[in-house]
Amino acid sequence: RHAQSMKGGEHEEEQGEPTYLVHLVNDADRLFAAGDYSAALDAYVEAANNGTLPDWHAEVDGTPGRPELQSYSTFRAALASYRLGDQDRGVELLVEAIQRYPGTMHSLAAQDYLLTVSGGGSTGEACGAAEQVLDTMGSQYVAFWDYGYANPERNVFTLCR
């Protein structure tokens, strides 16, 4: 998946085509981190609806990761919508994360986020509420996001960042 090259004496890493669903999610996270919320929104929606890329966790340890990755992607798409100023789309995506992926960690985070913003709280307060619920399952969360050394580390406090 990763191609490495030297450019002007600097080490540069290029991303190839995604081979697992987590790679598509990583690509969306990179767009989000760069502040390209519109492209990130599209990439998250694509990841949430992707049924063809393999599920790395299912192949490696037999534990399905697809529902969690898809609920994460839907949640993050909602965050991108809020950053773009589209609160209606944000709410729609939060509801989708809750209803489409019940029982996933990110659907629980979406629920607390939605309750907070619906109650008049800021997106910052909503993020805190989502992080709080995930922090109650911190070790499970970190274990889920263990996709090997070549993938970014995540913890409950990277969810909204």
Side-chain angles (χ1 to χ4, degrees):
R1 163 126 172 101
H2 298 286
Q4 297 182 1
S5 64
M6 293 292 283
K7 184 177 182 182
E10 292 180 23
H11 182 76
E12 191 174 275
E13 210 174 276
E14 295 177 17
Q15 301 299 318
E17 286 299 309
T19 51
Y20 288 100
L21 180 57
V22 70
H23 296 146
L24 200 56
V25 173
N26 291 345
D27 292 346
D29 279 349
R30 273 190 285 283
L31 292 166
F32 189 94
D36 191 347
Y37 301 121
S38 182
L41 172 61
D42 293 342
Y44 285 127
V45 169
E46 180 185 349
N49 293 308
N50 185 292
T52 56
L53 284 172
D55 177 353
W56 186 85
H57 269 298
E59 287 186 8
V60 171
D61 60 24
T63 307
R66 183 176 305 278
E68 200 64 66
L69 285 174
Q70 290 178 320
S71 65
Y72 171 82
S73 296
T74 306
F75 180 88
R76 294 278 290 185
L79 295 182
S81 294
Y82 276 99
R83 299 265 173 111
L84 291 166
D86 189 348
Q87 293 179 338
D88 292 341
R89 179 79 170 124
V91 167
E92 179 185 305
L93 287 160
L94 289 169
V95 169
E96 182 179 334
I98 295 162
Q99 293 178 347
R100 191 170 169 193
Y101 309 103
T104 62
M105 292 179 285
H106 293 99
S107 72
L108 297 173
Q111 188 173 334
D112 281 24
Y113 193 100
L114 181 59
L115 284 171
T116 303
V117 293
S118 297
S122 69
T123 54
E125 291 167 329
C127 185
E131 290 172 345
Q132 236 178 350
V133 74
L134 290 176
D135 200 31
T136 65
M137 42 192 128
S139 60
Q140 180 185 350
Y141 194 78
V142 169
F144 168 75
W145 281 111
D146 181 5
Y147 277 90
Y149 70 91
N151 290 283
E153 286 186 30
R154 293 176 179 88
N155 62 52
V156 297
F157 304 109
T158 61
L159 180 65
C160 299
R161 317 267 181 261

